[in-house]
Amino acid sequence: MLAVYNWFLRLLFPYVLLRLMWRGLRNPDYWRRIPERFGFIEPLTNIPPGAVAGAHNTSAGRAPAASRLIWIHAVSVGEVRAAVPLVRELEERYPGHALLITTMTPTGSAQVRELFNGRVAHRYAPYDYLAAVTRFLDRTRPVLAIVMETELWPNIFHACRARSIPIFVTNVRMSESSMHKYRRFARFARATLAQVNRFAVQSEADARRLLALGAPPRNVEITGSIKFELSAGASLREAAEVLRLAWGLDRPVWLAASTHEGEEEIVLTTLAELKKQARFANMLLVLVPRHPERFSAVARLCRRHDLRVALRSETPGALDPAAEVLVGDTMGELQLFYGAADCAFIGGSLVPTGGHNLLEAAAVGKPVVFGPHMFNFQEISQMALERGAGVQVPEGARLAPAVADFLGNANRRDRAGQAGQKMVEENRGALAANMRILEQLMGSSGGPDAAPRNPG
């Protein structure tokens, strides 16, 4: 089956290149560092841990000692943000090891740069071509591979297993739709899953679906989601208070976070509907598109609606009180925006994208509204509904009354926000479970530096 898969990949090669070129038309960053996607990177050798250079430049940068390198693969922004608690714990417990994070998207690369400020190396992950994977592993030689969420790469997994590199797939969520897709290739999926040493899954339902695909039961453990490992520290709260002062304390602020094409029209229609009410006449909409390549298009859309628009990149300080929409065209500030807003709409949920993580809003005590399409965060969204931390609307037409209910009722807003914070606090613990598994795998990988400094 692996041979058939590799022949199929060869046939797809022209399409892979064309897709890369096409994406580059919308985001030129896809045209940079293309060799990395085929495993052509500088060998990561001879630099001690912590002294990472070239984390966001070309492959000419050098990075830490490959003989003591932990590889974390996070596809894009959401997975990178989810990996933050894990990366910080690895930095603390394994100071003798260097960390390499790979992503598939330029936005993921930018997020690594924003969050870690050069403390970890970044490269693009190789496409799952055997030659590319071989080059990548030859030049990185990781002692452990950590894959965030459900990314199954047959050649990568088989190659790691052949080199005795333990594979840990963590924060796994397996939706019904994903399970059915993998079931079309049941034998191949089972063989690929068998290469993984351990799976840490978010819920019992995820574990059930993963086992149905053929994952060995002894390798599957329910740990919960490390996305709950969020904290709103004093510095974030203070920064949010300063930002809210700049936006205006006397106006309601509604955040539309991680929106997708088709949702901005609904959001702007909702804004117009809300502003007809006197109590919301001076409200501010903070609109943050999910994909950076859409920032300019969304700003133009707002202007076509005859709205007074400001860009976050051009307005770091006080906001003109006449501004009706602030487009969040920066990276790494979404949780700050959650902290400064009164309530939030979670994008990707009014279109069949599957929604986005609502826990960043809950962690800072902000109620959320989301649409019917939250299948990528089914357990978390259901928990938020049961706890009273948010509301779900069946369609875009119901968005205005749901947002108005939070903006116009301080007691309702506070109760929902507190319920969200409590939900996050009570569901922490996945990180400790993940680290216990990681310590077992690091021990199995051998070497004099495998033991953690602070086993906890």
Side-chain angles (χ1 to χ4, degrees):
M1 288 294 292
L2 192 61
V4 173
Y5 171 74
N6 283 319
W7 272 108
F8 181 67
L9 286 184
R10 291 188 187 100
L11 293 174
L12 282 181
F13 187 72
Y15 170 77
V16 170
L17 290 181
L18 285 172
R19 180 174 170 79
L20 191 59
M21 295 301 105
W22 174 255
R23 284 188 165 188
L25 293 175
R26 300 186 67 180
N27 183 351
D29 283 340
Y30 275 101
W31 293 341
R32 300 186 179 99
R33 299 163 58 188
I34 288 177
E36 290 183 22
R37 298 182 184 275
F38 297 94
F40 291 102
I41 64 173
E42 284 292 307
L44 304 184
T45 56
N46 303 325
I47 303 293
V52 179
H56 59 277
N57 293 322
T58 67
S59 59
R62 301 172 69 194
S67 59
R68 290 154 60 188
L69 183 138
I70 299 172
W71 170 29
I72 303 118
H73 176 58
V75 178
S76 192
V77 174
E79 292 80 8
V80 171
R81 294 190 68 83
V84 169
L86 195 62
V87 171
R88 288 175 178 164
E89 197 71 12
L90 287 169
E91 288 178 313
E92 176 67 24
R93 296 200 190 192
Y94 295 95
H97 288 71
L99 303 180
L100 167 68
I101 298 181
T102 58
T103 66
M104 297 298 291
T105 67
T107 52
S109 172
Q111 192 76 128
V112 172
R113 183 167 66 249
E114 287 279 346
L115 291 172
F116 302 110
N117 197 29
R119 300 196 316 275
V120 303
H122 173 269
R123 298 293 184 266
Y124 286 122
Y127 290 142
D128 202 37
Y129 286 92
L130 185 57
V133 170
T134 300
R135 272 191 295 271
F136 176 83
L137 294 177
D138 283 346
R139 299 175 186 212
T140 56
R141 295 166 49 216
V143 296
L144 176 67
I146 303 171
V147 179
M148 297 300 301
E149 303 192 6
T150 315
E151 285 290 310
L152 304 182
W153 300 101
N155 277 324
I156 288 176
F157 285 10
H158 279 84
C160 284
R161 194 61 177 259
R163 295 171 184 236
S164 299
I165 301 168
I167 307 168
F168 179 36
V169 183
T170 183
N171 218 42
V172 174
R173 53 181 172 85
M174 177 65 68
S175 67
E176 284 284 347
S177 60
S178 294
M179 181 184 71
H180 290 308
K181 288 177 184 176
Y182 285 123
R183 268 187 165 169
R184 296 173 189 170
F185 311 96
R187 288 179 54 199
F188 193 41
R190 188 180 304 111
T192 301
L193 293 170
Q195 308 307 309
V196 177
N197 296 76
R198 298 291 291 277
F199 295 92
V201 302
Q202 295 188 22
S203 71
E204 185 176 343
D206 295 313
R208 186 173 63 251
R209 293 169 190 139
L210 195 64
L211 291 170
L213 286 174
R218 66 182 180 277
N219 294 344
V220 178
E221 182 173 339
I222 302 169
T223 62
S225 173
I226 61 174
K227 291 184 176 181
F228 282 100
E229 308 294 329
L230 294 166
S231 61
S235 59
L236 176 63
R237 290 195 298 270
E238 291 170 4
E241 289 173 3
V242 171
L243 182 58
R244 182 52 187 265
L245 184 63
W247 288 351
L249 294 175
D250 61 342
R251 62 190 311 195
V253 177
W254 166 40
L255 170 66
S258 299
T259 58
H260 289 250
E261 188 170 1
E263 289 184 313
E264 289 90 8
E265 282 282 3
I266 298 171
V267 167
L268 295 178
T269 299
T270 300
L271 175 65
E273 187 175 341
L274 290 171
K275 286 175 73 66
K276 291 175 183 177
Q277 304 179 42
R279 57 182 177 160
F280 301 136
N282 69 332
M283 77 177 302
L284 173 67
L285 167 65
V286 181
L287 180 54
V288 184
R290 176 67 173 181
H291 298 113
E293 59 265 28
R294 298 188 61 244
F295 288 160
S296 298
V298 170
R300 289 194 299 271
L301 176 64
C302 294
R303 294 187 181 102
R304 286 200 299 272
H305 278 252
D306 295 324
L307 292 163
R308 291 181 289 274
V309 180
L311 303 179
R312 171 62 176 168
S313 61
E314 298 175 357
T315 321
L319 183 65
D320 184 346
E324 298 169 284
V325 181
L326 176 67
V327 176
D329 61 341
T330 55
M331 294 292 295
E333 291 194 302
L334 187 56
Q335 193 164 21
L336 175 63
F337 294 162
Y338 281 125
D342 292 312
C343 73
F345 162 68
I346 306 300
S349 63
L350 287 174
V351 292
T353 300
H356 292 292
N357 186 14
L358 58 82
L359 295 177
E360 287 183 305
V364 293
K366 299 305 162 73
V368 295
V369 180
F370 47 87
H373 304 290
M374 286 292 285
F375 50 82
N376 285 336
F377 296 87
Q378 184 175 347
E379 320 294 340
I380 291 173
S381 60
Q382 187 61 38
M383 191 182 301
L385 294 175
E386 292 170 355
R387 298 289 190 105
V391 296
Q392 187 169 31
V393 296
E395 58 184 358
R398 300 298 302 163
L399 187 57
V403 172
D405 190 34
F406 283 132
L407 291 180
N409 189 329
N411 289 334
R412 168 99 167 89
R413 186 168 68 242
D414 291 344
R415 285 196 304 271
Q418 290 168 13
Q421 282 185 310
K422 187 176 181 181
M423 176 182 73
V424 172
E425 290 165 2
E426 291 180 353
N427 283 277
R428 290 193 177 111
L431 181 60
N434 272 261
M435 291 309 299
R436 173 177 47 78
I437 296 170
L438 276 168
E439 287 171 13
Q440 295 169 1
L441 294 176
M442 287 292 286
S444 71
S445 71
D449 300 298
R453 181 169 67 180
N454 300 310

